[in-house]
Amino acid sequence: MAREGGSGGPPGTTPGRRPSRFPGYDVLAQAGAWDATTAAVVFARTARQPELRFFTLAEEAVATLLFDHLLAQWDDPKVPVLEMIDARLAERQTDGWRFEDMPEDDTAWRLSLRGLDDDAREWYDAPFAELSPERRAALIEAVRARGSDRWRGLTAGHVWGLWTRYTATAFYSHPWAWNEIGYGGPAYPRGYMRLGLGLREPWEVPDTEPEEAPPEDDGSDDKRDDDLPARPGAPRTGLAGLVRSATDTLRQTTSPLGRVRDRNASAWLLPRGDARFDRRLVEGMRRFDDRDEVDLVVVGCGAGGATLAQRMSRYGWSVVCLEAGPFWDPDSDWVSDEAASHHLYWNDPRVIAGEDPVPLGANNSGRGVGGSTVHFAGYVPRFHPSDFRTYTEDGVGADWPLDYADLRASYERIEQELPVAGQYWPWGDPHPYPHAPHPVGGNGEVFLRGAAALGLEARVGPVAITNGRFGNRPHCVYRGFCLQGCKVNAKASTLITHVPDALAHGAEIRAQCMVTGVELDERGRLATGVRYVRDGRERFQRARTVAVAGYSIETPRLLLNSTSRRFPDGLCNDHDLVGRYVMVQGAPQTSGRFTQEVRSYKAPPPEVTSEEFYETRSDRPYRRGFSVQNVSPLPIVWAEHVTAQGHWGEDLRRYMRDYVHWATLGALCELLPQPGNRVTLAEEKDRYGLPVARFSYSQCENDRQVIRAAEAVMEDILRAAGASEVMTINRYAHLVGGCRMARDAAHGVVDADLRTFAVPNLLLTDGSVLPTQGSANPALTIMALVDRAAGRLAAGARAGLRTPSGDRR
Amino acid sequence: MIPRSRNPFAPARLARNVRHGRFERSLSLLTAAGSVITAAEIYLEHDRASFGNRVMWWPVVLGPVGAAAGVAGFLSERMARTALPIASAAIAANGLQGTYLHVRGIAEKPGGWSLARYNIETGPPLFAPLLVTMVGGMGLLAALLRRER
């Protein structure tokens, strides 16, 4: 019974034709300002849905009612959630990862729907579909209330997450739901121009009930006695500091851009017109034969891999970069839409385990040329000098085999190439940015206001988004879809910041190639190339040097899967270090409700930061610290926030209608590296026949304390800014470590030049080499490490074997 | 009626001078002030756009040049006939160049002229460079005037 969605319905249709808080608002009326790819994706949702392919008749009977309950959808026209979820499962558009105690999503759906029906028969002696609405709701609530207990052979909390994730994604991807919550919808090529609290585009409709306080205030008014930590040694600059920041900034804006161009001409190799990538660069790309022994083969084309490929091809090396995903065309492959950007993540099967399993996907994986920089927020703070010696200074974590000073020049080079926009940075090693800070949206304004009220230093930036022209890249249009791939070319991704220059200098970027193993010579001393699968056939690319840049899960997995007589436990794993010390940042997010409209979907999602709590402080019980940034969830992520609080049904809809009034802050908490947090190989195999990665993660007591402190600070900031209600959810962000660098082979897998101790012509050039993670987003540091390593590699090229030169640090 | 004041900028005399096309010195000074003010505003606006094209420094640098030429023209008749028109012509031309660059910037925003209203409002200011040309025009005009008596 495929429900007819109608052809978009009359203007301003809302689900169930409920009276709207945004009277007359019709997001589809703006479709003329959308690009064709995005419009097609959105209009497909209001068109007739395909027949069911996944759910059986029995499952359909339960699922239909379950979805109606979860979303309180009782009246026509209904968002066709059943059909949308069915299509997703039939086409296996799943996230790939699964909890160790759960089956894959499609099986979990079947089991949980049957479980609900079994519950109904057991409790009320009737099938679920024949119960009264009250009884059905009671059964659903019973599953939610079980939390982490087992239910029908599954973990109830994970079932609840599965149900709410799929239903909220389907429902809040629909333009009728956008009408109901006043959300602006797609924003390309037209972006936004009125940023800030209480401001609306000419076509946006004001909320008629701005004062409506969501009912059922669950007593969250209990002010935490855990008050704000004493003000740390804030970066008091004084006159000398002001002069220094002014002259440093002036030096950035007056230095000739030719210097950047001479180093990396990517921004000038992009087309000037409406196309975002010059296809001639791809079509005219130099192509190597598998039998050619290239100077360097790079595995993975993300932040680390693309940077290395660009640098080494500039140095005259013959380079092949193998990428498992596609070679993106931003115009046709990316959309201004949350739900339809799923293909940007690594969705191959993975198993997550441990006491605090880390879900994978949007904020810690990537796929295709550009890797996760395609959909990262572009937030690129530097690490602090203290990050490089946490063991010496704080007795936790590890010391790096290099100092901040070794990376400073690389940081500066990469910041100019991205380029980075932001205010003069007072924390860590104070430094200017090449581009001016962006104007802040409503969410950033809330943060600045709250920080000012508390006397906290907060600054705008640093974000790798052009604020002005850069080469042929245009100015940002503040469309807010940074996490869905920038269709403007304003936000940096290595696809546009390093790949064009690499191609122009003779590198080959070979997309759709999944590397399955690194091969060594007969004695197991040197790497000879990599095995990879393309079009279903295994091939072998010969190379004199191999660099693996697959990030913290795939790099260890590839090494562990590359066994030989010399390395029976996995390549470079003599000391059982491969896959260990994987780190994620604790990233709790706190939202606050404001009477003014925030409309956080405009402007870059993170814009404002405070690093006041970054380092260890004597007045706190924990070591290391956290940074606070604003984050700006789009409707589907916002729905995850709301459902994580246990809200569903009518309650969920009520909170969602309030979307434009909420501002959200997110912390990045430095969680400590632990040997037990590791990637190993699971029993199950993927479509290439290789064992998939199993990622186990558990927090330690220090981690929990840092996260709690960050939550308290964020709630204080939002309340100081005037929030009437706050809610906090826990999540994780980023992923580093797994093949840490160290001074010697007993403590790490690679040295400071990113060369493995075990195989001299094998490098690891990605985030997996980080020994600690700081409270900064890791992309810039990954690229800076690779920039430095590339220089060392090139300098050593004439020293016989192609290895980094000079004294081993 | 011969004005008593020997000061050429006394109100009555000034008005008479202007009516007879004798205001080279005052317009030179006005050109100098206009150059400085526009250059300061342009610095702020262009800094906001990160001097993404280093050409964006030109109008900022031409500001002090116009100011110097204007003051020189105020002080010396010879300068008013040489330095001032040269500097003013450069400023006027730079304004036209800026107009071209701003129009191109608007056209290269996503959607280009098909989103004309949005792109003009959010892009580089369309008419601002012509104000620079106006300042240059003032200087050129000053060079042709008679000096105050």
Side-chain angles (χ1 to χ4, degrees), chain B residues 71-90:
Chain B
V71 171
F74 174 79
L75 296 175
S76 134
E77 183 168 4
R78 191 159 150 241
M79 283 295 161
R81 300 286 143 99
T82 51
L84 183 61
I86 292 171
S88 300

Side-chain angles (χ1 to χ4, degrees), chain A residues 576-587:
Chain A
D576 190 21
L577 285 168
V578 171
R580 289 192 184 274
Y581 300 102
V582 178
M583 290 162 277
V584 293
Q585 281 164 332

